[in-house]
Amino acid sequence: MGLVGIVLVSHSEQLASGLRDLLRQVATPEVPIIAAGGTPDGDLGTSPDRLAEAIAAADSGDGVIILADLGSAVLTARAVLEEAPGPLLVDAPFVEGAVAAAVTASTGAGLEEVAEAAREARDVPKF
């Protein structure tokens, strides 16, 4: 049995990788967490090819959620999903949603439960 995978889509490779590193601190090592940030030449932007590769790498059989940082990352994710439906693009805060999703995925929760945890992070006050 696999766990729900998490793909982090950002305009910045450093931002996506940094968030992935944070999630590795809160999730069990078995949760597939893949960063898909920046362009192949190291610039800011989102790469459909990188995203498609990240989805494949994160898929251990129990589904994949995608969290995106900004609007055009969402547009890129939607375009990729038109070609390869299955993963779930989740409308959630990038950092807080990713943390909630990673912790929930660590428990062995299913795709919808992991996605809902990410969404609910929007309503958790910071103080």
Side-chain angles (χ1 to χ4, degrees):
M1 177 180 103
L3 297 174
V4 172
I6 300 169
V7 173
L8 306 169
V9 185
S10 174
H11 291 74
S12 166
E13 184 174 6
Q14 291 175 323
L15 181 59
S17 296
L19 181 53
R20 179 200 57 220
D21 294 346
L22 174 66
L23 298 184
R24 296 233 183 269
Q25 297 296 311
V26 301
T28 60
E30 296 79 21
V31 175
I33 303 167
I34 309 297
T39 62
D41 60 0
D43 285 338
L44 292 176
T46 51
S47 165
D49 292 336
R50 279 190 169 191
L51 178 52
E53 291 168 8
I55 291 167
D59 191 357
S60 64
D62 283 331
V64 173
I65 69 161
I66 301 169
L67 296 163
D69 64 351
L70 299 171
S72 63
V74 171
L75 295 175
T76 300
R78 284 183 171 168
V80 168
L81 292 177
E82 284 180 12
E83 300 298 319
L88 186 59
L89 179 60
V90 179
D91 183 12
F94 193 55
V95 175
E96 294 90 338
V99 170
V103 170
T104 304
S106 294
T107 70
L111 184 65
E112 283 301 326
E113 191 176 350
V114 172
E116 187 58 27
R119 288 183 201 104
E120 288 177 356
R122 178 182 319 284
D123 298 323
V124 176
K126 293 188 183 201
F127 52 91

mmCIF file of all heavy atoms in Angstrom, residues 67-126:
data_model
loop_
_atom_site.group_PDB
_atom_site.id
_atom_site.type_symbol
_atom_site.label_atom_id
_atom_site.label_comp_id
_atom_site.label_asym_id
_atom_site.label_seq_id
_atom_site.Cartn_x
_atom_site.Cartn_y
_atom_site.Cartn_z
ATOM 1 N N LEU A 67 -0.504 21.105 -5.165
ATOM 2 C CA LEU A 67 -0.677 22.417 -4.546
ATOM 3 C C LEU A 67 0.173 23.409 -5.335
ATOM 4 O O LEU A 67 1.340 23.130 -5.617
ATOM 5 C CB LEU A 67 -0.245 22.392 -3.083
ATOM 6 C CG LEU A 67 -1.081 21.480 -2.189
ATOM 7 C CD1 LEU A 67 -0.367 21.197 -0.891
ATOM 8 C CD2 LEU A 67 -2.429 22.107 -1.926
ATOM 9 N N ALA A 68 -0.423 24.541 -5.702
ATOM 10 C CA ALA A 68 0.275 25.533 -6.518
ATOM 11 C C ALA A 68 0.365 26.859 -5.780
ATOM 12 O O ALA A 68 -0.507 27.188 -4.981
ATOM 13 C CB ALA A 68 -0.461 25.714 -7.846
ATOM 14 N N ASP A 69 1.424 27.632 -6.073
ATOM 15 C CA ASP A 69 1.625 28.885 -5.352
ATOM 16 C C ASP A 69 0.827 30.059 -5.907
ATOM 17 O O ASP A 69 0.201 30.782 -5.155
ATOM 18 C CB ASP A 69 3.115 29.239 -5.231
ATOM 19 C CG ASP A 69 3.813 29.517 -6.552
ATOM 20 O OD1 ASP A 69 3.218 29.292 -7.633
ATOM 21 O OD2 ASP A 69 4.982 29.951 -6.510
ATOM 22 N N LEU A 70 0.826 30.267 -7.212
ATOM 23 C CA LEU A 70 0.191 31.444 -7.806
ATOM 24 C C LEU A 70 -0.613 31.061 -9.045
ATOM 25 O O LEU A 70 -0.530 29.935 -9.537
ATOM 26 C CB LEU A 70 1.253 32.475 -8.193
ATOM 27 C CG LEU A 70 2.101 33.025 -7.043
ATOM 28 C CD1 LEU A 70 3.251 33.858 -7.586
ATOM 29 C CD2 LEU A 70 1.266 33.832 -6.080
ATOM 30 N N GLY A 71 -1.339 32.041 -9.559
ATOM 31 C CA GLY A 71 -2.291 31.821 -10.638
ATOM 32 C C GLY A 71 -1.775 31.088 -11.856
ATOM 33 O O GLY A 71 -2.414 30.158 -12.349
ATOM 34 N N SER A 72 -0.633 31.480 -12.404
ATOM 35 C CA SER A 72 -0.194 30.802 -13.622
ATOM 36 C C SER A 72 0.314 29.394 -13.335
ATOM 37 O O SER A 72 0.290 28.538 -14.218
ATOM 38 C CB SER A 72 0.851 31.619 -14.378
ATOM 39 O OG SER A 72 2.012 31.781 -13.624
ATOM 40 N N ALA A 73 0.744 29.110 -12.114
ATOM 41 C CA ALA A 73 1.078 27.729 -11.741
ATOM 42 C C ALA A 73 -0.189 26.884 -11.750
ATOM 43 O O ALA A 73 -0.172 25.720 -12.153
ATOM 44 C CB ALA A 73 1.753 27.684 -10.375
ATOM 45 N N VAL A 74 -1.297 27.478 -11.329
ATOM 46 C CA VAL A 74 -2.589 26.791 -11.377
ATOM 47 C C VAL A 74 -2.979 26.532 -12.835
ATOM 48 O O VAL A 74 -3.426 25.430 -13.178
ATOM 49 C CB VAL A 74 -3.677 27.610 -10.655
ATOM 50 C CG1 VAL A 74 -5.053 27.015 -10.883
ATOM 51 C CG2 VAL A 74 -3.372 27.722 -9.175
ATOM 52 N N LEU A 75 -2.796 27.529 -13.691
ATOM 53 C CA LEU A 75 -3.122 27.353 -15.110
ATOM 54 C C LEU A 75 -2.277 26.255 -15.742
ATOM 55 O O LEU A 75 -2.788 25.439 -16.527
ATOM 56 C CB LEU A 75 -2.939 28.669 -15.863
ATOM 57 C CG LEU A 75 -3.884 29.800 -15.459
ATOM 58 C CD1 LEU A 75 -3.516 31.089 -16.201
ATOM 59 C CD2 LEU A 75 -5.323 29.420 -15.707
ATOM 60 N N THR A 76 -1.007 26.213 -15.412
ATOM 61 C CA THR A 76 -0.134 25.157 -15.931
ATOM 62 C C THR A 76 -0.598 23.794 -15.436
ATOM 63 O O THR A 76 -0.672 22.836 -16.207
ATOM 64 C CB THR A 76 1.330 25.405 -15.513
ATOM 65 O OG1 THR A 76 1.759 26.669 -16.038
ATOM 66 C CG2 THR A 76 2.245 24.298 -16.008
ATOM 67 N N ALA A 77 -0.940 23.716 -14.147
ATOM 68 C CA ALA A 77 -1.424 22.439 -13.590
ATOM 69 C C ALA A 77 -2.703 21.999 -14.286
ATOM 70 O O ALA A 77 -2.860 20.824 -14.639
ATOM 71 C CB ALA A 77 -1.637 22.573 -12.089
ATOM 72 N N ARG A 78 -3.612 22.927 -14.516
ATOM 73 C CA ARG A 78 -4.862 22.577 -15.199
ATOM 74 C C ARG A 78 -4.593 22.067 -16.617
ATOM 75 O O ARG A 78 -5.223 21.116 -17.075
ATOM 76 C CB ARG A 78 -5.798 23.774 -15.239
ATOM 77 C CG ARG A 78 -6.465 24.039 -13.913
ATOM 78 C CD ARG A 78 -7.440 25.179 -14.009
ATOM 79 N NE ARG A 78 -8.223 25.269 -12.791
ATOM 80 C CZ ARG A 78 -8.991 26.287 -12.483
ATOM 81 N NH1 ARG A 78 -9.109 27.301 -13.317
ATOM 82 N NH2 ARG A 78 -9.659 26.299 -11.351
ATOM 83 N N ALA A 79 -3.670 22.689 -17.303
ATOM 84 C CA ALA A 79 -3.337 22.255 -18.660
ATOM 85 C C ALA A 79 -2.740 20.851 -18.652
ATOM 86 O O ALA A 79 -3.097 20.010 -19.491
ATOM 87 C CB ALA A 79 -2.367 23.243 -19.306
ATOM 88 N N VAL A 80 -1.857 20.579 -17.717
ATOM 89 C CA VAL A 80 -1.254 19.247 -17.615
ATOM 90 C C VAL A 80 -2.320 18.214 -17.280
ATOM 91 O O VAL A 80 -2.339 17.111 -17.836
ATOM 92 C CB VAL A 80 -0.111 19.240 -16.577
ATOM 93 C CG1 VAL A 80 0.331 17.826 -16.246
ATOM 94 C CG2 VAL A 80 1.065 20.068 -17.090
ATOM 95 N N LEU A 81 -3.236 18.562 -16.385
ATOM 96 C CA LEU A 81 -4.277 17.618 -15.979
ATOM 97 C C LEU A 81 -5.279 17.338 -17.089
ATOM 98 O O LEU A 81 -5.921 16.286 -17.088
ATOM 99 C CB LEU A 81 -4.982 18.111 -14.716
ATOM 100 C CG LEU A 81 -4.103 18.109 -13.471
ATOM 101 C CD1 LEU A 81 -4.856 18.682 -12.284
ATOM 102 C CD2 LEU A 81 -3.585 16.726 -13.165
ATOM 103 N N GLU A 82 -5.424 18.254 -18.033
ATOM 104 C CA GLU A 82 -6.280 17.979 -19.191
ATOM 105 C C GLU A 82 -5.729 16.817 -20.006
ATOM 106 O O GLU A 82 -6.489 16.026 -20.568
ATOM 107 C CB GLU A 82 -6.406 19.221 -20.072
ATOM 108 C CG GLU A 82 -7.328 20.270 -19.526
ATOM 109 C CD GLU A 82 -7.423 21.489 -20.445
ATOM 110 O OE1 GLU A 82 -6.946 21.421 -21.608
ATOM 111 O OE2 GLU A 82 -7.971 22.505 -19.989
ATOM 112 N N GLU A 83 -4.414 16.711 -20.044
ATOM 113 C CA GLU A 83 -3.752 15.643 -20.800
ATOM 114 C C GLU A 83 -3.644 14.356 -19.989
ATOM 115 O O GLU A 83 -3.588 13.275 -20.563
ATOM 116 C CB GLU A 83 -2.347 16.096 -21.233
ATOM 117 C CG GLU A 83 -2.337 17.327 -22.104
ATOM 118 C CD GLU A 83 -3.067 17.099 -23.415
ATOM 119 O OE1 GLU A 83 -2.905 16.017 -24.015
ATOM 120 O OE2 GLU A 83 -3.821 17.997 -23.838
ATOM 121 N N ALA A 84 -3.570 14.465 -18.680
ATOM 122 C CA ALA A 84 -3.388 13.292 -17.812
ATOM 123 C C ALA A 84 -4.232 13.458 -16.555
ATOM 124 O O ALA A 84 -3.729 13.777 -15.481
ATOM 125 C CB ALA A 84 -1.915 13.146 -17.447
ATOM 126 N N PRO A 85 -5.546 13.258 -16.672
ATOM 127 C CA PRO A 85 -6.402 13.418 -15.495
ATOM 128 C C PRO A 85 -6.111 12.348 -14.454
ATOM 129 O O PRO A 85 -5.559 11.307 -14.760
ATOM 130 C CB PRO A 85 -7.819 13.274 -16.067
ATOM 131 C CG PRO A 85 -7.651 12.531 -17.338
ATOM 132 C CD PRO A 85 -6.285 12.842 -17.853
ATOM 133 N N GLY A 86 -6.473 12.651 -13.251
ATOM 134 C CA GLY A 86 -6.255 11.704 -12.152
ATOM 135 C C GLY A 86 -5.799 12.415 -10.897
ATOM 136 O O GLY A 86 -6.448 12.327 -9.870
ATOM 137 N N PRO A 87 -4.658 13.111 -10.952
ATOM 138 C CA PRO A 87 -4.250 13.880 -9.777
ATOM 139 C C PRO A 87 -5.283 14.962 -9.467
ATOM 140 O O PRO A 87 -6.037 15.387 -10.344
ATOM 141 C CB PRO A 87 -2.926 14.509 -10.197
ATOM 142 C CG PRO A 87 -2.419 13.625 -11.272
ATOM 143 C CD PRO A 87 -3.646 13.137 -11.989
ATOM 144 N N LEU A 88 -5.304 15.405 -8.241
ATOM 145 C CA LEU A 88 -6.294 16.368 -7.780
ATOM 146 C C LEU A 88 -5.608 17.696 -7.467
ATOM 147 O O LEU A 88 -4.752 17.770 -6.584
ATOM 148 C CB LEU A 88 -6.984 15.808 -6.531
ATOM 149 C CG LEU A 88 -8.149 16.577 -5.960
ATOM 150 C CD1 LEU A 88 -9.270 16.721 -6.981
ATOM 151 C CD2 LEU A 88 -8.678 15.849 -4.727
ATOM 152 N N LEU A 89 -5.952 18.730 -8.222
ATOM 153 C CA LEU A 89 -5.462 20.083 -7.958
ATOM 154 C C LEU A 89 -6.309 20.655 -6.832
ATOM 155 O O LEU A 89 -7.531 20.722 -6.946
ATOM 156 C CB LEU A 89 -5.570 20.936 -9.216
ATOM 157 C CG LEU A 89 -5.133 22.387 -9.114
ATOM 158 C CD1 LEU A 89 -3.658 22.493 -8.712
ATOM 159 C CD2 LEU A 89 -5.381 23.092 -10.444
ATOM 160 N N VAL A 90 -5.653 21.050 -5.740
ATOM 161 C CA VAL A 90 -6.364 21.469 -4.533
ATOM 162 C C VAL A 90 -6.221 22.971 -4.329
ATOM 163 O O VAL A 90 -5.107 23.511 -4.366
ATOM 164 C CB VAL A 90 -5.824 20.711 -3.294
ATOM 165 C CG1 VAL A 90 -6.540 21.148 -2.040
ATOM 166 C CG2 VAL A 90 -5.963 19.213 -3.498
ATOM 167 N N ASP A 91 -7.351 23.642 -4.099
ATOM 168 C CA ASP A 91 -7.373 25.073 -3.803
ATOM 169 C C ASP A 91 -7.118 25.244 -2.310
ATOM 170 O O ASP A 91 -8.028 25.112 -1.492
ATOM 171 C CB ASP A 91 -8.729 25.656 -4.197
ATOM 172 C CG ASP A 91 -8.802 27.155 -3.992
ATOM 173 O OD1 ASP A 91 -7.739 27.787 -3.769
ATOM 174 O OD2 ASP A 91 -9.913 27.701 -4.033
ATOM 175 N N ALA A 92 -5.857 25.487 -1.967
ATOM 176 C CA ALA A 92 -5.449 25.583 -0.563
ATOM 177 C C ALA A 92 -4.243 26.511 -0.458
ATOM 178 O O ALA A 92 -3.526 26.706 -1.446
ATOM 179 C CB ALA A 92 -5.080 24.194 -0.030
ATOM 180 N N PRO A 93 -3.999 27.048 0.722
ATOM 181 C CA PRO A 93 -2.790 27.855 0.897
ATOM 182 C C PRO A 93 -1.552 26.984 0.672
ATOM 183 O O PRO A 93 -1.533 25.827 1.097
ATOM 184 C CB PRO A 93 -2.879 28.359 2.339
ATOM 185 C CG PRO A 93 -3.912 27.525 3.001
ATOM 186 C CD PRO A 93 -4.774 26.937 1.949
ATOM 187 N N PHE A 94 -0.579 27.530 -0.007
ATOM 188 C CA PHE A 94 0.572 26.742 -0.438
ATOM 189 C C PHE A 94 1.322 26.116 0.739
ATOM 190 O O PHE A 94 1.518 24.893 0.762
ATOM 191 C CB PHE A 94 1.498 27.621 -1.281
ATOM 192 C CG PHE A 94 2.556 26.876 -2.044
ATOM 193 C CD1 PHE A 94 2.218 25.855 -2.914
ATOM 194 C CD2 PHE A 94 3.885 27.223 -1.923
ATOM 195 C CE1 PHE A 94 3.195 25.176 -3.643
ATOM 196 C CE2 PHE A 94 4.869 26.566 -2.651
ATOM 197 C CZ PHE A 94 4.525 25.536 -3.505
ATOM 198 N N VAL A 95 1.740 26.898 1.699
ATOM 199 C CA VAL A 95 2.545 26.366 2.804
ATOM 200 C C VAL A 95 1.672 25.634 3.817
ATOM 201 O O VAL A 95 1.892 24.453 4.107
ATOM 202 C CB VAL A 95 3.361 27.490 3.489
ATOM 203 C CG1 VAL A 95 4.092 26.958 4.715
ATOM 204 C CG2 VAL A 95 4.338 28.113 2.507
ATOM 205 N N GLU A 96 0.685 26.317 4.363
ATOM 206 C CA GLU A 96 -0.137 25.703 5.403
ATOM 207 C C GLU A 96 -0.890 24.485 4.880
ATOM 208 O O GLU A 96 -1.015 23.469 5.557
ATOM 209 C CB GLU A 96 -1.130 26.717 5.979
ATOM 210 C CG GLU A 96 -0.477 27.853 6.742
ATOM 211 C CD GLU A 96 -0.129 29.058 5.855
ATOM 212 O OE1 GLU A 96 0.012 28.898 4.616
ATOM 213 O OE2 GLU A 96 0.017 30.165 6.409
ATOM 214 N N GLY A 97 -1.391 24.585 3.650
ATOM 215 C CA GLY A 97 -2.092 23.463 3.051
ATOM 216 C C GLY A 97 -1.171 22.281 2.831
ATOM 217 O O GLY A 97 -1.560 21.125 3.042
ATOM 218 N N ALA A 98 0.047 22.554 2.401
ATOM 219 C CA ALA A 98 1.009 21.473 2.171
ATOM 220 C C ALA A 98 1.376 20.777 3.476
ATOM 221 O O ALA A 98 1.480 19.546 3.525
ATOM 222 C CB ALA A 98 2.258 22.021 1.486
ATOM 223 N N VAL A 99 1.565 21.543 4.537
ATOM 224 C CA VAL A 99 1.880 20.938 5.844
ATOM 225 C C VAL A 99 0.724 20.053 6.299
ATOM 226 O O VAL A 99 0.930 18.902 6.704
ATOM 227 C CB VAL A 99 2.214 22.021 6.897
ATOM 228 C CG1 VAL A 99 2.290 21.420 8.298
ATOM 229 C CG2 VAL A 99 3.522 22.731 6.541
ATOM 230 N N ALA A 100 -0.492 20.566 6.233
ATOM 231 C CA ALA A 100 -1.659 19.779 6.646
ATOM 232 C C ALA A 100 -1.797 18.522 5.796
ATOM 233 O O ALA A 100 -2.088 17.433 6.310
ATOM 234 C CB ALA A 100 -2.926 20.632 6.563
ATOM 235 N N ALA A 101 -1.574 18.642 4.503
ATOM 236 C CA ALA A 101 -1.681 17.489 3.610
ATOM 237 C C ALA A 101 -0.613 16.448 3.932
ATOM 238 O O ALA A 101 -0.899 15.249 3.968
ATOM 239 C CB ALA A 101 -1.562 17.944 2.160
ATOM 240 N N ALA A 102 0.612 16.895 4.168
ATOM 241 C CA ALA A 102 1.705 15.962 4.453
ATOM 242 C C ALA A 102 1.465 15.197 5.748
ATOM 243 O O ALA A 102 1.683 13.979 5.813
ATOM 244 C CB ALA A 102 3.032 16.715 4.508
ATOM 245 N N VAL A 103 1.022 15.905 6.772
ATOM 246 C CA VAL A 103 0.740 15.242 8.050
ATOM 247 C C VAL A 103 -0.397 14.244 7.881
ATOM 248 O O VAL A 103 -0.328 13.100 8.360
ATOM 249 C CB VAL A 103 0.419 16.286 9.144
ATOM 250 C CG1 VAL A 103 -0.108 15.619 10.403
ATOM 251 C CG2 VAL A 103 1.667 17.121 9.451
ATOM 252 N N THR A 104 -1.432 14.635 7.173
ATOM 253 C CA THR A 104 -2.584 13.754 6.981
ATOM 254 C C THR A 104 -2.222 12.558 6.102
ATOM 255 O O THR A 104 -2.623 11.428 6.386
ATOM 256 C CB THR A 104 -3.763 14.545 6.383
ATOM 257 O OG1 THR A 104 -4.051 15.649 7.252
ATOM 258 C CG2 THR A 104 -5.003 13.683 6.251
ATOM 259 N N ALA A 105 -1.450 12.780 5.057
ATOM 260 C CA ALA A 105 -1.011 11.670 4.211
ATOM 261 C C ALA A 105 -0.184 10.667 5.004
ATOM 262 O O ALA A 105 -0.259 9.461 4.766
ATOM 263 C CB ALA A 105 -0.209 12.198 3.023
ATOM 264 N N SER A 106 0.576 11.151 5.979
ATOM 265 C CA SER A 106 1.397 10.273 6.812
ATOM 266 C C SER A 106 0.575 9.264 7.604
ATOM 267 O O SER A 106 1.083 8.209 7.983
ATOM 268 C CB SER A 106 2.235 11.102 7.798
ATOM 269 O OG SER A 106 3.178 11.877 7.109
ATOM 270 N N THR A 107 -0.680 9.588 7.852
ATOM 271 C CA THR A 107 -1.541 8.678 8.620
ATOM 272 C C THR A 107 -2.130 7.576 7.750
ATOM 273 O O THR A 107 -2.819 6.693 8.264
ATOM 274 C CB THR A 107 -2.709 9.446 9.278
ATOM 275 O OG1 THR A 107 -3.623 9.883 8.265
ATOM 276 C CG2 THR A 107 -2.215 10.617 10.104
ATOM 277 N N GLY A 108 -1.889 7.637 6.452
ATOM 278 C CA GLY A 108 -2.460 6.660 5.539
ATOM 279 C C GLY A 108 -3.826 7.060 5.018
ATOM 280 O O GLY A 108 -4.519 6.266 4.385
ATOM 281 N N ALA A 109 -4.227 8.302 5.260
ATOM 282 C CA ALA A 109 -5.534 8.790 4.808
ATOM 283 C C ALA A 109 -5.622 8.740 3.287
ATOM 284 O O ALA A 109 -4.613 8.796 2.580
ATOM 285 C CB ALA A 109 -5.744 10.222 5.294
ATOM 286 N N GLY A 110 -6.852 8.687 2.788
ATOM 287 C CA GLY A 110 -7.096 8.646 1.354
ATOM 288 C C GLY A 110 -6.988 10.005 0.699
ATOM 289 O O GLY A 110 -6.838 11.041 1.364
ATOM 290 N N LEU A 111 -7.100 9.998 -0.608
ATOM 291 C CA LEU A 111 -6.930 11.199 -1.419
ATOM 292 C C LEU A 111 -7.853 12.339 -0.994
ATOM 293 O O LEU A 111 -7.399 13.469 -0.788
ATOM 294 C CB LEU A 111 -7.164 10.865 -2.900
ATOM 295 C CG LEU A 111 -6.940 11.982 -3.901
ATOM 296 C CD1 LEU A 111 -5.479 12.395 -3.930
ATOM 297 C CD2 LEU A 111 -7.382 11.545 -5.293
ATOM 298 N N GLU A 112 -9.138 12.070 -0.853
ATOM 299 C CA GLU A 112 -10.084 13.136 -0.499
ATOM 300 C C GLU A 112 -9.809 13.694 0.901
ATOM 301 O O GLU A 112 -9.941 14.898 1.126
ATOM 302 C CB GLU A 112 -11.526 12.650 -0.608
ATOM 303 C CG GLU A 112 -12.024 12.568 -2.031
ATOM 304 C CD GLU A 112 -11.972 13.896 -2.779
ATOM 305 O OE1 GLU A 112 -12.181 14.969 -2.172
ATOM 306 O OE2 GLU A 112 -11.717 13.856 -3.996
ATOM 307 N N GLU A 113 -9.429 12.842 1.825
ATOM 308 C CA GLU A 113 -9.139 13.309 3.186
ATOM 309 C C GLU A 113 -7.883 14.179 3.216
ATOM 310 O O GLU A 113 -7.839 15.200 3.907
ATOM 311 C CB GLU A 113 -8.981 12.107 4.124
ATOM 312 C CG GLU A 113 -8.941 12.498 5.582
ATOM 313 C CD GLU A 113 -8.889 11.287 6.503
ATOM 314 O OE1 GLU A 113 -9.074 10.146 6.039
ATOM 315 O OE2 GLU A 113 -8.655 11.506 7.706
ATOM 316 N N VAL A 114 -6.876 13.803 2.453
ATOM 317 C CA VAL A 114 -5.652 14.608 2.376
ATOM 318 C C VAL A 114 -5.958 15.959 1.728
ATOM 319 O O VAL A 114 -5.514 17.012 2.211
ATOM 320 C CB VAL A 114 -4.544 13.848 1.608
ATOM 321 C CG1 VAL A 114 -3.337 14.739 1.361
ATOM 322 C CG2 VAL A 114 -4.132 12.593 2.379
ATOM 323 N N ALA A 115 -6.746 15.940 0.657
ATOM 324 C CA ALA A 115 -7.124 17.181 -0.013
ATOM 325 C C ALA A 115 -7.928 18.083 0.911
ATOM 326 O O ALA A 115 -7.702 19.302 0.964
ATOM 327 C CB ALA A 115 -7.919 16.873 -1.277
ATOM 328 N N GLU A 116 -8.846 17.505 1.659
ATOM 329 C CA GLU A 116 -9.672 18.295 2.575
ATOM 330 C C GLU A 116 -8.826 18.916 3.690
ATOM 331 O O GLU A 116 -9.061 20.054 4.095
ATOM 332 C CB GLU A 116 -10.808 17.451 3.154
ATOM 333 C CG GLU A 116 -11.792 18.246 3.982
ATOM 334 C CD GLU A 116 -12.457 19.396 3.224
ATOM 335 O OE1 GLU A 116 -12.594 19.336 1.986
ATOM 336 O OE2 GLU A 116 -12.851 20.384 3.884
ATOM 337 N N ALA A 117 -7.850 18.186 4.191
ATOM 338 C CA ALA A 117 -6.956 18.742 5.215
ATOM 339 C C ALA A 117 -6.233 19.971 4.676
ATOM 340 O O ALA A 117 -6.091 20.981 5.372
ATOM 341 C CB ALA A 117 -5.957 17.685 5.679
ATOM 342 N N ALA A 118 -5.785 19.897 3.430
ATOM 343 C CA ALA A 118 -5.115 21.051 2.809
ATOM 344 C C ALA A 118 -6.062 22.232 2.698
ATOM 345 O O ALA A 118 -5.703 23.366 3.048
ATOM 346 C CB ALA A 118 -4.574 20.660 1.432
ATOM 347 N N ARG A 119 -7.295 21.964 2.245
ATOM 348 C CA ARG A 119 -8.275 23.049 2.108
ATOM 349 C C ARG A 119 -8.592 23.694 3.454
ATOM 350 O O ARG A 119 -8.729 24.911 3.560
ATOM 351 C CB ARG A 119 -9.563 22.516 1.485
ATOM 352 C CG ARG A 119 -9.481 22.188 0.040
ATOM 353 C CD ARG A 119 -10.843 21.737 -0.495
ATOM 354 N NE ARG A 119 -10.694 20.979 -1.699
ATOM 355 C CZ ARG A 119 -10.803 19.648 -1.791
ATOM 356 N NH1 ARG A 119 -11.102 18.921 -0.735
ATOM 357 N NH2 ARG A 119 -10.631 19.055 -2.947
ATOM 358 N N GLU A 120 -8.763 22.874 4.479
ATOM 359 C CA GLU A 120 -9.132 23.388 5.805
ATOM 360 C C GLU A 120 -8.049 24.272 6.408
ATOM 361 O O GLU A 120 -8.336 25.093 7.283
ATOM 362 C CB GLU A 120 -9.436 22.228 6.749
ATOM 363 C CG GLU A 120 -10.748 21.538 6.436
ATOM 364 C CD GLU A 120 -11.010 20.331 7.324
ATOM 365 O OE1 GLU A 120 -10.131 19.960 8.147
ATOM 366 O OE2 GLU A 120 -12.096 19.747 7.184
ATOM 367 N N ALA A 121 -6.817 24.129 5.950
ATOM 368 C CA ALA A 121 -5.729 24.953 6.472
ATOM 369 C C ALA A 121 -5.979 26.435 6.228
ATOM 370 O O ALA A 121 -5.451 27.288 6.938
ATOM 371 C CB ALA A 121 -4.398 24.528 5.849
ATOM 372 N N ARG A 122 -6.807 26.749 5.241
ATOM 373 C CA ARG A 122 -7.137 28.143 4.939
ATOM 374 C C ARG A 122 -7.815 28.826 6.134
ATOM 375 O O ARG A 122 -7.677 30.024 6.343
ATOM 376 C CB ARG A 122 -8.053 28.193 3.718
ATOM 377 C CG ARG A 122 -8.512 29.578 3.331
ATOM 378 C CD ARG A 122 -9.460 29.610 2.148
ATOM 379 N NE ARG A 122 -9.141 28.712 1.056
ATOM 380 C CZ ARG A 122 -8.175 28.905 0.150
ATOM 381 N NH1 ARG A 122 -7.430 29.973 0.225
ATOM 382 N NH2 ARG A 122 -7.976 28.050 -0.825
ATOM 383 N N ASP A 123 -8.545 28.058 6.919
ATOM 384 C CA ASP A 123 -9.355 28.639 7.996
ATOM 385 C C ASP A 123 -8.723 28.532 9.380
ATOM 386 O O ASP A 123 -9.353 28.885 10.373
ATOM 387 C CB ASP A 123 -10.730 27.949 8.032
ATOM 388 C CG ASP A 123 -11.481 28.169 6.731
ATOM 389 O OD1 ASP A 123 -11.382 29.277 6.155
ATOM 390 O OD2 ASP A 123 -12.158 27.227 6.264
ATOM 391 N N VAL A 124 -7.494 28.058 9.456
ATOM 392 C CA VAL A 124 -6.822 27.930 10.751
ATOM 393 C C VAL A 124 -6.118 29.246 11.077
ATOM 394 O O VAL A 124 -5.207 29.662 10.349
ATOM 395 C CB VAL A 124 -5.818 26.764 10.737
ATOM 396 C CG1 VAL A 124 -5.045 26.695 12.048
ATOM 397 C CG2 VAL A 124 -6.534 25.444 10.442
ATOM 398 N N PRO A 125 -6.532 29.914 12.170
ATOM 399 C CA PRO A 125 -5.886 31.180 12.509
ATOM 400 C C PRO A 125 -4.441 30.974 12.988
ATOM 401 O O PRO A 125 -4.115 29.928 13.552
ATOM 402 C CB PRO A 125 -6.766 31.732 13.643
ATOM 403 C CG PRO A 125 -7.518 30.577 14.168
ATOM 404 C CD PRO A 125 -7.603 29.553 13.082
ATOM 405 N N LYS A 126 -3.624 31.940 12.760
ATOM 406 C CA LYS A 126 -2.231 31.868 13.209
ATOM 407 C C LYS A 126 -2.076 32.307 14.657
ATOM 408 O O LYS A 126 -1.120 31.956 15.327
ATOM 409 C CB LYS A 126 -1.340 32.711 12.319
ATOM 410 C CG LYS A 126 -1.259 32.121 10.933
ATOM 411 C CD LYS A 126 -0.240 32.806 10.084
ATOM 412 C CE LYS A 126 -0.304 32.172 8.709
ATOM 413 N NZ LYS A 126 0.863 32.353 7.936
#
